[in-house]
Amino acid sequence: MRTRPLKVALLGCGVVGSEVARIMTTHADDLAARIGAPVELAGVAVRRPSKIREGIDPSLITTDATALVKRGDIDVAIEVIGGIEPARTLITTAFEHGASVVSANKALLAEDGATLYAAAEQHGRDLYFEAAVAGAIPLIRPLRESLAGDKVNRVLGIVNGTTNFILDKMDTSGAGYSEALDEATALGYAEADPTADVEGFDAAAKAAILAGIAFHTRVRLDDVYREGMTEVTAADFASAKRMGCTIKLLAICERAADGQSVTARVHPAMIPLSHPLASVREAYNAVFVEAEAAGRLMFYGPGAGGSPTASAVLGDLVAVCRNKLAEATGPGESAYTQLPVSSMGEVVTRYHISLDVADKPGVLAQVATVFAEHGVSIDTVRQQGKDGEASLVVVTHRAPDAALSGTVEALRKLDTVRGVASIMRVEGE
């Protein structure tokens, strides 16, 4: 083992950053043994230097993150600031001055990962980001390395713990959305402003990253179709249970059947109770990867939190430091396929549509005609009526999303249809 330590700059010292610093200190001997050299925390960039940070030498604290990554003696910069700027500039500056980078920044990677990859390659540095998707779950490295010789066709998963907690509570306790959100907030699973989670932005960023790696093509956040889960109701769960399903907010990345394009989407969906994702409870994450040779693989575990995310960061730190000692770099960007990202309208799946209709003869025939005119085949129909009003639930066979959208638009124009109460896709079959 060499005696000169590898120096690490920590950019950000919040929940994740402070846990990274703690583990680096308390497990210093183990880390050194695994890497082949000691690692030393050389500086910690923060916004509020006056805040007390237990276990961190105050002399390491700085508010000048740029100066820290420009020092020239930094071997690895760990970026846990989040957001686009100044994180992007700090990462590229670190590359320019000789440091490899470990990042947990899903938003930046989804928005402008190409810039980071290019800068890392130009300067011969590593860019690792296991912690950006699904917390402690080993997912990025299996996709980048373990499955590098296989062809991945689909990635399907629950990648946001907050929304899974909320939907799980609605399912198991019968709570409404607001009540379940309040419980998630009280337990610390939801932020004071939960928009990024419940509207699907967080999951969409992760979907972009996963799709890009899985399909060896560039997929940006803007390429990902996104729907939140704030409109999911107790009635939707009741309908799901009648179908033997539950409801999850899913990130779905797929290669087209002809292999000539890909899609990435995030939305609530009904999945059969027999599917392993249906049993993922509380704030846990789980991701299914379907590959030609390997078949179906499932990755499961805690997807957020200080300790789980820090675990992923430290795993990357060990890998990057080993590469540094070997004077090598790990995998960079693989975007050789340059496949186009298709629109949501081209996605083919099944649908569950709930309609409020007039309870009178001929309504079902009118509705069925509209479906037929738009090329959407009906699988099952359930109708309940009372006092001149009725609820009509239609479950379709597989059809393009554009065809379903045209069907719904036409249904809304029927005099006998008083409202489209719910539209939900059915996945995982």
Side-chain angles (χ1 to χ4, degrees):
M1 179 187 295
R2 81 171 194 175
T3 56
R4 186 181 74 78
L6 294 162
K7 294 190 176 183
V8 178
L10 180 59
L11 310 179
C13 197
V15 173
V16 176
S18 59
E19 187 66 8
V20 167
R22 184 192 69 78
I23 295 174
M24 285 185 63
T25 301
T26 58
H27 295 249
D29 291 342
D30 286 339
L31 289 172
R34 294 167 192 170
I35 292 168
V39 288
E40 173 187 294
L41 196 57
V44 181
V46 300
R47 286 185 297 178
R48 296 189 299 275
S50 61
K51 181 179 178 180
I52 297 175
R53 296 172 173 85
E54 294 184 9
I56 297 178
D57 183 346
S59 67
L60 297 178
I61 301 297
T62 178
T63 57
D64 194 343
T66 301
L68 178 59
V69 296
K70 281 184 173 181
R71 275 176 39 170
D73 64 338
I74 300 298
D75 294 290
V76 184
I78 297 176
E79 185 272 309
V80 286
I81 298 172
I84 307 302
E85 289 292 355
R88 175 169 48 199
T89 299
L90 289 172
I91 289 173
T92 55
T93 301
F95 289 143
E96 292 167 5
H97 288 79
S100 289
V101 172
V102 172
S103 176
N105 196 331
K106 55 186 172 287
L108 176 56
L109 288 159
E111 179 69 28
D112 197 17
T115 295
L116 305 186
Y117 278 124
E121 182 178 7
Q122 177 185 353
H123 297 285
R125 307 301 169 194
D126 270 325
L127 173 64
Y128 276 55
F129 48 89
E130 185 67 64
V133 181
I137 305 173
L139 182 58
I140 300 299
R141 192 169 292 124
L143 283 173
R144 292 175 90 183
E145 300 178 31
S146 304
L147 295 173
D150 207 339
K151 181 180 180 182
V152 176
N153 291 319
R154 195 170 195 238
V155 180
L156 167 75
I158 299 163
V159 295
N160 182 275
T162 300
T163 53
N164 198 58
F165 180 90
I166 293 170
L167 291 172
D168 182 48
K169 289 302 175 184
M170 292 176 69
D171 184 25
T172 57
S173 70
Y177 166 75
S178 296
E179 183 181 352
L181 174 60
D182 288 344
E183 183 175 355
T185 304
L187 291 172
Y189 292 128
E191 301 287 346
D193 180 1
T195 302
D197 294 321
V198 300
E199 294 296 349
F201 291 101
D202 175 84
K206 295 170 182 176
I209 295 169
L210 291 175
I213 296 171
F215 306 135
H216 304 280
T217 198
R218 286 182 179 171
V219 180
R220 299 179 70 250
L221 181 59
D222 291 345
D223 296 321
V224 182
Y225 175 83
R226 176 192 54 79
E227 284 182 22
M229 42 74 69
T230 58
E231 301 301 318
V232 176
T233 65
D236 291 324
F237 274 103
S239 289
K241 288 181 179 179
R242 281 191 286 268
M243 291 176 58
C245 294
T246 188
I247 299 171
K248 299 291 186 181
L249 184 76
L250 298 180
I252 305 172
C253 312
E254 293 177 304
R255 190 189 298 268
D258 63 5
Q260 300 305 303
S261 64
V262 300
T263 57
R265 51 194 166 107
V266 169
H267 54 71
M270 294 183 180
I271 58 172
L273 293 175
S274 58
H275 195 285
L277 289 179
S279 62
V280 178
R281 304 287 307 280
E282 301 283 330
Y284 277 77
N285 284 190
V287 178
F288 252 80
V289 177
E290 299 176 10
E292 285 195 357
R296 303 175 77 194
L297 309 172
M298 182 172 174
F299 301 84
Y300 170 84
S307 293
T309 306
S311 171
V313 169
L314 268 295
D316 279 350
L317 176 64
V318 170
V320 169
C321 287
R322 287 171 174 171
N323 290 344
K324 191 86 173 181
L325 293 179
E327 298 183 351
T329 55
E333 182 180 32
S334 177
Y336 70 91
T337 63
Q338 298 183 6
L339 295 172
V341 182
S342 298
S343 69
M344 186 63 187
E346 298 178 61
V347 169
V348 177
T349 190
R350 298 179 67 208
Y351 305 89
H352 174 283
I353 304 100
S354 180
L355 305 172
D356 295 326
V357 300
D359 188 13
K360 63 183 182 181
V363 173
L364 180 55
Q366 283 185 316
V367 169
T369 297
V370 171
F371 276 87
E373 289 174 346
H374 289 82
V376 180
S377 175
I378 294 175
D379 182 17
T380 63
V381 178
R382 186 179 72 251
Q383 184 173 1
Q384 292 178 323
K386 184 179 180 181
D387 299 330
E389 296 184 357
S391 173
L392 191 65
V393 175
V394 178
V395 180
T396 75
H397 290 291
R398 289 171 60 83
D401 205 88
L404 192 280
S405 296
T407 302
V408 171
E409 185 177 348
L411 287 171
R412 288 193 168 108
K413 295 177 181 178
L414 292 179
D415 292 338
T416 51
V417 174
R418 295 173 178 174
V420 179
S422 173
I423 304 168
M424 195 162 294
R425 296 166 185 89
V426 182
E427 302 284 349
E429 296 180 307

